[in-house]
Amino acid sequence: MTAPTVSFSDERLSNGLRLIVAEDHLAPVVGVCIWYAVGSKNEVPGKTGFAHLFEHVMFQGSRHVAKTEHMGLVQAAGGTLNGTTWLDRTNYFETMPSHQLELALWLEADRMATLLDALNQENLDNQRDVVKNEKRSSYDNRPYGQWFHKLQEHLFPPEHPYHHPTIGSMEDLDAASLEDVAAFFRTYYAPNNAVLAIAGDVEPAQARAWVERYFGEIAPNPKIPPLGDMSVPPTLGGESREVIEDRVPLPRHYFGFRAPCFGDPRLDALEVAAQILAGGKGSRLYRRLVREERIAQDVAFFALGFVGGASIAAGQATVRPGVDPDVVERAFEEELERMGREPVTDDELARARALIETYELEALQRVDERADRLAMLATLLDDPDLINRQLGRYLAVTAADIQAVAAEVFRPDNRVVLTYMPETGPATHGEHEEPAA
Amino acid sequence: MTLEEILAARPSPGQPRAYNFPSFERTVLPSGLQVVAVHVPGRPLVSANLIFRVGAADEPADRAGVTVLAARAMTEGTARYPGLELIEAAERLGSTLHADASWDAFAASVEVAASRLRAALELLDELVERPTFPAEEVSRLRDERLNDLLQMHAEPRRRVEQAFSQTIYTADSPYSRLAGGNESTVERLTRDELTAIHRAVLAPDRAAIVIGGDLTGLDVPRIAEEVLGSLALGASHAPAAPAAPAAGRAPTADSAVDRTTVRLYHRPGAVQSEVRIGHVGLSRRVPDFHAVQVMAAILGGLFNSRLQLNLREDKGYTYGVGAGFDMRRGAGPFGVRTAVQTASTVPAISEALNELHRMRDTLVTDAELAVARDYMVGVFPLRFETPGAVVGAIGGLFVNELPDDELARYRGLVEAVTAQDVQKAARDHIHPDRLAIVLVGDADVVGKDLEAAGFGDVEIVREELPGEVGEPGGNGLGE
């Protein structure tokens, strides 16, 4: 089985907007995805949560689109849509029946060109409330909900842009003003800071003409402030631990490590390692901790790729009732360290490769995923063609590559261990919880 | 033209490309097993789903959870592939074997490159037909389920779902419990009971295998016959299993609510209230299905549904609110689902109830109707972009015993729904005067206001939470 090649064009409009078009007529659908090179890493102290709050404001209308009309028009056209914010970027996407492509392009252009015309205090206050409720339901009112924010705090020093959570703090959300929002838009939401990818049932010449028409006259911002140096030492330099009491029935460990940046071939090897460690019932951690020793209720291990200094490799294990959490921690760490000491077997590697091949093919079936990956690779690595080389890179990973990256990453002095324990005292849940580190 | 002139003109849609739901062919093997092959050109990954039309709703109450546990235990080893060898064999093909049970079906599935379809089906057959249910693994999976139930109590959004089902259905309805069973029944399940339910489920005359993807060069009925032709023929000669379910009839789904009642599960300090509002809803075979779906989209299905526009975009009470009917073979629940900041609990419930009344009292506008219909019709090709989605939809027709042309007729029937149909569907199927309002939240903050609001009798449940007993293991579960 060979992966189908994604053919695409890649060009820049005179205002700097990067346009990628991948034509494929299998289904009458088209994916539109626009990535802005701005994420929570661009936030400054006192204004955390801003990139994400701004993402919500992008759905509150622009000069020719009323509040909530963006959703209404896309859905009435039979499309689906959303936006997401993460450390390195913010993205917006629509998947449309192919005859509705022009509508999606117009909607994205109108808000890139004229968002501030529709911005007002009422809309900002409303979306601030919505985002605060998103924070409550996704993190504050959820058992173990703060684990990723805690890992960020431990893995990156306080002055580093990855130290704070993308959702921000309640205080900073409260403090966001209309002027802040407007300045953020003028700074980062410029065509020369964006990549627009279109994939699926599209006529490239027609799409190019529409993009030129709707986006071509939007002014660039020649003064997008560069981020400072985000580099960090490749390892933490010492183990970092925290015990958190929470309203949870079972203790759970979270493990975090600094890992090679997104795009580094060593991260490919780490992802194959993660598959062998915890990808399904045939994996090492599942087999030992869940199935054989029966000390864990569940296990997971995965890598989250970032471009600014280090990625995060993370794992978790929920402790079975009656089991000493230390026993679970030791077993988990032993399996990670064993990967650095001895090569994985040929059979383990063959199974991991076969599964990864299927996952990649499965993901690339959909137009929304193809558009998203092209925009991502162009935004973060300036290399959209990696979409066609990534599978080959995974399949080329050797046992020696895995051993080498495991030895680099899974070191005690590069490790964060968070242990959630059932709370023993009165509830300490507050909306304004301060970071512990 | 200036940029302003360009942007001031909204584009109009182009000519839609024709789309038809993929046609499929059905073969019935001598055993009674139906084989459905659906060709989806250009898709190198093939989805295969073997479905038995019998599920958790069909099991006896005192063994609740046995069907789900049996399905999950099937991947723990077979006669030919003991232990994890079955999983490993599938992984070598680049595929993962899944087995699970829902209320209405028991299913095993695999996704694999077309060139390896036969090898994957052989593993699927082995999995379904010859699982050994090792006692050690069964007890481990049972304990994992019990631990998961423990975790559920600490997760407001899962706890409220369970409490909602328990509140709206009478105790003799299977839907009053969880499909995976509750503590009291799961802890008593044994290997013998799993073996018995497995044997009872395995009847080829209520089974279908649906295979979709680029099937060029593959004679699917022949491969299916060669690999699965003898599926379960042995089982039908086995002595009648004690747990033999009475499949084929809709499960009991009586309402336990005859007037509006409020039940609040206390969580001290909770920053949000998880809220469910609703009652016993509808079976998938309801005659006005399409009108109900349009109505539910306007009320709480669309991004810009009435509930979203009110509770989120106007009031900012919540990150999101939805409403809809979970349609099963029997009458599944109708519910409004949201999580709201604690201080807004009572006004959020009032607004949600207002929207339920408004849906019944007045006609939806032409614009509302157009958006909902156009969305459901327009999004249809997007829903079926991959073979997995196509196979899943055809499996749903089989489980619910719907006609083969149900999906082909869908868009025309949605387009024909009128505002009057929507109002009739709301009046027939939404009952704001006799529903349950179930919450997980801080009773110390919202309890008094809830009583004062007069929605209905308020019951406050103060349950001991597993996380607060101090010592892990002090709950008597597990090892």
Side-chain angles (χ1 to χ4, degrees):
Chain A
M1 184 168 54
T2 50
T5 301
V6 180
S7 311
F8 62 91
S9 61
D10 182 8
E11 64 211 275
R12 268 184 203 279
L13 274 57
S14 57
N15 61 9
L17 177 68
R18 189 168 186 172
L19 171 64
I20 297 174
V21 181
E23 178 185 9
D24 159 25
H25 302 287
L26 268 182
V29 300
V30 63
V32 175
C33 192
I34 187 160
W35 278 52
Y36 290 93
V38 57
S40 58
K41 71 179 176 187
N42 300 90
E43 294 162 350
V44 295
K47 300 193 192 256
T48 67
F50 218 78
H52 171 251
L53 175 60
F54 188 84
E55 174 216 313
H56 279 246
V57 172
M58 283 283 277
F59 292 93
Q60 293 295 303
S62 44
R63 189 182 303 162
H64 307 99
V65 179
K67 174 180 161 88
T68 73
E69 201 183 13
H70 187 106
M71 283 93 154
L73 288 171
V74 171
Q75 291 211 314
T80 60
L81 75 161
N82 216 329
T84 71
T85 309
W86 198 217
L87 280 64
D88 289 324
R89 85 314 184 270
T90 310
N91 67 5
Y92 302 86
F93 42 93
E94 294 85 25
T95 308
M96 308 291 280
S98 43
H99 67 289
Q100 296 280 7
L101 169 62
E102 191 182 0
L103 174 68
L105 298 174
W106 172 75
L107 282 166
E108 289 298 354
D110 198 58
R111 58 185 177 181
M112 188 194 283
T114 68
L115 183 91
L116 295 184
D117 288 30
L119 179 67
N120 60 45
Q121 191 67 46
E122 190 184 347
N123 288 350
L124 175 61
D125 289 345
N126 165 250
Q127 288 304 305
R128 188 200 325 270
D129 285 342
V130 170
V131 167
K132 285 163 76 173
N133 274 311
E134 179 178 359
K135 176 167 153 53
R136 292 181 187 108
S137 58
S138 299
Y139 308 104
D140 301 347
N141 201 36
R142 187 178 273 209
Y144 316 102
Q146 305 290 347
W147 71 270
F148 189 71
H149 304 159
K150 297 268 182 199
L151 282 190
Q152 286 179 269
E153 285 170 17
H154 283 269
L155 285 168
F156 297 97
E159 66 281 6
H160 194 278
Y162 290 164
H163 180 80
H164 72 272
T166 301
I167 194 74
S169 72
M170 288 293 187
E171 290 86 346
D172 290 358
L173 290 170
D174 280 331
S177 69
L178 277 180
E179 295 71 51
D180 290 333
V181 172
F184 195 84
F185 176 76
R186 289 195 194 97
T187 305
Y188 295 111
Y189 278 69
N192 53 318
N193 203 37
V195 175
L196 171 62
I198 303 170
D201 185 24
V202 52
E203 215 310 26
Q206 175 67 80
R208 211 168 280 130
W210 281 331
V211 171
E212 188 63 57
R213 172 184 170 86
Y214 291 117
F215 292 87
E217 300 298 316
I218 302 174
N221 175 14
K223 286 184 276 188
I224 296 170
L227 271 169
D229 179 14
M230 289 179 66
S231 63
V232 289
T235 54
L236 207 48
E239 188 184 55
S240 189
R241 306 181 66 90
E242 184 176 349
V243 177
I244 302 137
E245 286 199 2
D246 196 3
R247 196 172 296 161
V248 296
L250 299 180
R252 180 183 286 172
H253 298 295
Y254 286 95
F255 303 88
F257 302 86
R258 282 189 193 163
C261 285
F262 183 64
D264 186 323
R266 292 176 301 165
L267 192 66
D268 299 332
L270 194 65
E271 289 185 58
V272 180
Q275 171 62 40
I276 293 171
L277 279 169
K281 291 184 172 182
S283 66
R284 288 183 173 189
L285 288 166
Y286 181 87
R287 189 185 298 250
R288 175 173 168 189
L289 275 69
V290 177
R291 198 171 199 278
E292 290 169 6
E293 297 184 5
R294 303 177 180 209
I295 53 179
Q297 166 79 359
D298 50 58
V299 291
F301 200 87
F302 47 90
L304 297 168
F306 302 113
V307 291
S311 296
I312 294 179
Q316 73 171 62
T318 307
V319 180
R320 270 209 179 204
V323 174
D324 179 353
D326 292 346
V327 170
V328 177
E329 185 191 335
R330 272 197 301 280
F332 200 100
E333 290 164 357
E334 275 171 25
E335 287 304 320
L336 264 53
E337 284 160 19
R338 182 157 76 89
M339 277 214 146
R341 273 200 319 276
E342 52 193 68
V344 298
T345 67
D346 291 347
D347 185 54
E348 284 177 310
L349 187 56
R351 286 189 280 125
R353 284 176 178 163
L355 286 171
I356 288 170
E357 185 170 16
T358 301
Y359 300 153
E360 286 288 296
L361 288 177
E362 203 280 333
L364 289 174
Q365 289 186 99
R366 297 190 316 277
V367 295
D368 57 352
E369 178 74 17
R370 286 202 293 273
D372 185 64
R373 285 207 190 186
L374 287 164
M376 168 181 77
L377 295 169
T379 304
L380 300 181
L381 302 177
D382 188 20
D383 184 12
D385 184 59
L386 187 53
I387 195 171
N388 290 318
R389 305 191 322 272
Q390 184 60 58
L391 177 58
R393 280 173 51 157
Y394 286 133
L395 299 181
V397 167
T398 65
D401 295 335
I402 293 171
Q403 189 179 349
V405 77
E408 275 172 49
V409 172
F410 302 147
R411 297 155 49 125
D413 64 357
N414 188 35
R415 183 166 70 209
V416 176
V417 184
L418 307 174
T419 302
Y420 276 84
M421 294 296 290
E423 65 187 17
T424 48
T428 52
H429 291 256
E431 290 197 18
H432 301 276
E433 190 177 18
E434 286 295 325
Chain B
M1 278 209 287
T2 65
L3 178 60
E4 168 55 27
E5 286 165 341
I6 290 166
L7 290 173
R10 291 189 177 189
S12 36
Q15 206 46 247
R17 215 178 102 189
Y19 173 82
N20 293 305
F21 187 82
S23 59
F24 50 93
E25 288 177 30
R26 181 189 309 277
T27 313
V28 183
L29 300 185
S31 66
L33 176 70
Q34 297 183 24
V35 179
V36 179
V38 53
H39 180 53
V40 191
R43 303 299 184 185
L45 280 180
V46 173
S47 266
N49 196 3
L50 175 58
I51 310 158
F52 295 87
R53 192 163 45 214
V54 53
D58 302 302
E59 66 198 6
D62 61 352
R63 266 156 285 181
V66 68
T67 313
V68 167
L69 195 65
R72 293 190 182 159
M74 288 202 305
T75 50
E76 295 295 331
T78 69
R80 218 176 118 204
Y81 297 94
L84 289 173
E85 287 182 28
L86 183 74
I87 297 289
E88 292 177 350
E91 289 183 351
R92 286 182 199 109
L93 301 175
S95 62
T96 307
L97 293 167
H98 295 281
D100 211 346
S102 63
W103 286 116
D104 299 321
F106 189 93
S109 63
V110 69
E111 191 165 35
V112 71
S115 58
R116 301 172 187 151
L117 176 63
R118 173 188 287 266
L121 289 183
E122 284 168 356
L123 295 178
L124 202 64
D125 174 63
E126 180 72 16
L127 162 81
V128 170
E129 204 157 7
R130 287 174 286 278
T132 50
F133 297 113
E136 274 281 275
E137 306 307 331
V138 169
S139 68
R140 174 176 59 81
L141 291 171
R142 185 189 59 212
D143 290 347
E144 285 174 14
R145 169 66 187 166
L146 291 169
N147 295 337
D148 184 53
L149 288 168
L150 211 56
Q151 295 280 77
M152 184 198 70
H153 280 270
E155 289 179 42
R157 78 191 59 196
R158 291 181 67 199
R159 179 66 181 122
V160 77
E161 284 292 333
Q162 185 207 23
F164 180 60
S165 304
Q166 212 172 10
T167 304
I168 64 173
Y169 287 102
T170 55
D172 64 337
S173 169
Y175 298 155
S176 67
R177 38 187 208 251
L178 296 164
N182 298 339
E183 287 88 343
S184 59
T185 56
V186 170
E187 66 186 4
R188 290 185 284 130
L189 295 176
T190 65
R191 174 184 185 275
D192 288 348
E193 282 164 329
L194 267 58
T195 308
I197 199 86
H198 169 253
R199 197 174 304 156
V201 162
L202 269 199
D205 55 351
R206 58 172 176 234
I209 182 153
V210 186
I211 298 176
D214 194 323
L215 304 178
T216 307
L218 291 173
D219 184 346
V220 169
R222 191 176 59 82
I223 297 171
E225 170 136 38
E226 287 170 9
V227 178
L228 297 160
S230 62
L231 177 76
L233 287 181
S236 59
H237 299 298
R249 75 188 152 74
T252 311
D254 293 331
S255 174
V257 178
D258 55 7
R259 62 197 149 82
T260 294
T261 56
V262 183
R263 190 174 281 177
L264 166 60
Y265 291 77
H266 179 44
R267 291 295 184 277
V271 296
Q272 280 191 325
S273 302
E274 279 284 353
V275 183
R276 301 294 180 271
I277 302 170
H279 48 64
V280 173
L282 297 170
S283 155
R284 172 60 184 84
R285 293 169 63 83
V286 61
D288 57 344
F289 171 78
H290 301 86
V292 172
Q293 295 297 70
V294 172
M295 186 267 288
I298 294 169
L299 173 67
L302 297 169
F303 212 117
N304 282 351
S305 70
R306 288 181 170 190
L307 284 163
Q308 278 271 104
L309 288 179
N310 185 341
L311 271 69
R312 172 181 153 125
E313 296 297 328
D314 187 41
K315 310 291 192 314
Y317 293 154
T318 180
Y319 177 51
V321 51
F325 292 82
D326 173 7
M327 296 178 181
R328 304 168 183 165
R329 279 175 65 84
F334 162 73
V336 176
R337 298 178 158 77
T338 190
V340 299
Q341 67 202 76
T342 300
S344 307
T345 303
V346 167
I349 293 170
S350 294
E351 291 299 335
L353 293 174
N354 288 344
E355 294 299 348
L356 297 187
H357 281 289
R358 188 157 73 98
M359 212 68 223
R360 291 167 47 98
D361 294 346
T362 56
L363 290 174
V364 296
T365 65
D366 291 346
E368 286 178 309
L369 182 64
V371 169
R373 285 191 318 212
D374 291 351
Y375 173 67
M376 290 165 65
V377 169
V379 83
F380 192 78
L382 272 66
R383 286 169 57 195
F384 301 114
E385 197 182 347
T386 64
V390 171
V391 164
I394 296 171
L397 300 185
F398 173 75
V399 168
N400 290 296
E401 297 181 89
L402 291 164
D404 282 356
D405 63 352
E406 176 75 12
L407 290 159
R409 290 161 56 238
Y410 174 86
R411 284 174 291 172
L413 292 171
V414 167
E415 274 170 344
V417 171
T418 65
Q420 285 73 21
D421 296 336
V422 167
Q423 186 174 28
K424 179 169 177 7
R427 286 186 174 165
D428 288 350
H429 306 306
I430 295 181
H431 310 294
D433 52 336
R434 45 188 161 97
L435 45 71
I437 301 170
V438 180
L439 306 93
V440 173
D442 190 338
D444 296 336
V445 178
V446 302
K448 280 206 175 60
D449 290 347
L450 268 177
E451 276 166 14
F455 299 130
D457 292 342
V458 179
E459 180 192 352
I460 294 178
V461 183
R462 294 175 190 272
E463 52 188 0
E464 185 175 290
L465 291 176
E468 292 174 342
V469 298
E471 287 301 301
N475 46 61
L477 297 174
E479 295 165 349

